[in-house]
Structure formats: structure tokens, C-alpha cells
Amino acid sequence: RKEVEQDPGPFNVPEGATVAFNCTYSNSASQSFFWYRQDCRKEPKLLMSVYSSGNEDGRFTAQLNRASQYISLLIRDSKLSDSATYLCVVNRGNTPLVFGKGTRLSVIA
Amino acid sequence: ETGVTQSPTHLIKTRGQQVTLRCSSQSGHNTVSWYQQALGQGPQFIFQYYREEENGRGNFPPRFSGLQFPNYSSELNVNALELDDSALYLCASSSPRQGATNTEAFFGQGTRLTVV
């Protein structure tokens, strides 16, 4: 079983839609959680960290459920520019980042 | 821009050859991690260097090796290239803080290696 699992998609949604991605992790010792965004043929870039209390950054909301070991990302009012692959990432302290395979999002006009 | 630079950006090699990829970390960052990202996959951890010492290794064979220099820049060397080594190779720099559990890593733009 992969340490971080995501639905690869693709998710094809119209502009303005709300879309949610989930991710599960297997190692209960995981301490830090992130969502990275990766555009086609580019490097991953940090979208947001995920905190136990949940956190929001504009149209993006991240949630963490430690008991169920899953992380979610909600995108409201989708824009064409949100089209990308979203990578769920975990680590344990200062250990290397462990990435999921990513979920592809296409926002359609 | 992250301040992490990788070279070259693209490379084509023949099976059996050797390759060296380079990474300059962000100023002040003493830790460099290398990742391999095959098409349609998430990045896979190769190894990490902290203050010129290897500080963790993923599930990659010994023909993947590396170095970190006193200025914290790093090299990834791959010997006896195989077709499956074709991938995007990403370097990430960070500066772990003592006791911190949430240290951001900054990625370079990657080197796209094609083995033919």
C-alpha cells in the first residue's frame, strides 16, 4: 500500500464550480501535511500547509482528520488558472517529503 | 522564483551512459533533497544531503549517488543509465529548524532526462 494515496482524476469541472480532493496517508506518525500544485512540465510549488484546525487561504480550504488519516482540499469558485495537478504531501518531522501521485484538475470554460 | 536552480534543464542520454545533474540551493539552506518524478507519478525521494553528508535515502539502487559541496550546492550522479531512468529530476532545498516539524521545501525547475 502506498504511504499517500490520491484519486488521480482527472476532475473536469466548469468555471465557478466547487471541487474537493481527498487524500489518505498510512503512517500514523506523519506530522506535517501539505498540498502542492504542479503545472504541466513544471516543478511542484507549495499551495498550502494543512493544520489540524483546518485552514483557509482565499478560495482554498484544507482540512486534516488525524483519526481517519485523511486530508482534503476544497476549491471554491474554480478558475481556469486552477487547472493543474494537486499533490498531497506528508512527512514526519524533518524527514523527506512523501508525495501522492497527484490529482489532475481541469477547469473548463 | 524559489532561488533553487538546476542544470541542465533538458538532457538526452543513451542507455548505459552516465549523467550528472546539478542543483544550487536557496541561499541559507543547508539541506538538499533529490526526487525522481516519472510521467504520471508523484515525485519519489532519492536521497537527502545535510551539511555535505547523506542524510537519508529512498529505494534507489547504488548507481544513483550524490554529493553536496561546502556551499550546499549538490550533484546527482546516475551510472549505467536505463530506459526507466527517464524522468523529471527535482532538487529541493530547505533549512530544517531544530525541533520544527513543518519545514517548507523549495523546488528547482527540474531536469528532464530522457534515456534512449
Side-chain angles (χ1 to χ4, degrees), chain B:
Chain B
E1 296 300 323
T2 64
V4 181
T5 58
Q6 291 186 244
S7 63
T9 55
H10 296 82
L11 199 54
I12 300 174
K13 287 287 193 178
T14 303
R15 192 170 48 182
Q17 284 189 311
Q18 179 267 341
V19 68
T20 297
L21 310 182
R22 296 178 176 83
C23 171
S24 294
S25 58
Q26 188 173 43
S27 177
H29 284 186
N30 55 22
T31 301
V32 172
S33 304
W34 285 92
Y35 293 82
Q36 179 196 66
Q37 187 175 23
L39 199 62
Q41 304 293 318
Q44 299 294 308
F45 173 67
I46 304 174
F47 43 57
Q48 181 181 77
Y49 280 84
Y50 171 67
R51 294 186 174 180
E52 303 179 59
E53 299 279 335
E54 188 178 290
N55 183 39
R57 188 178 181 93
N59 189 25
F60 279 81
R63 58 190 186 83
F64 286 77
S65 63
L67 283 174
Q68 188 178 31
F69 300 99
N71 66 355
Y72 301 134
S73 65
S74 178
E75 286 183 355
L76 163 65
N77 300 290
V78 187
N79 293 323
L81 284 166
E82 301 177 359
L83 297 179
D84 285 349
D85 295 333
S86 296
L88 179 68
Y89 288 84
L90 294 159
C91 161
S93 81
S94 59
S95 191
R97 301 180 300 280
Q98 187 70 27
T101 60
N102 192 341
T103 301
E104 183 175 353
F106 296 87
F107 284 86
Q109 82 281 13
T111 294
R112 189 163 298 279
L113 172 66
T114 302
V115 182
V116 298

Side-chain angles (χ1 to χ4, degrees), chain A residues 94-105:
Chain A
N94 287 320
T95 58
L97 302 175
V98 180
F99 287 80
K101 289 178 66 170
T103 299
R104 278 185 55 201
L105 171 66

Side-chain angles (χ1 to χ4, degrees), chain A residues 16-35:
Chain A
T18 296
V19 61
F21 307 137
N22 290 327
C23 160
T24 58
Y25 61 95
S26 60
N27 193 325
S28 59
S30 299
Q31 296 178 344
S32 303
F33 309 90
F34 311 89
W35 284 101

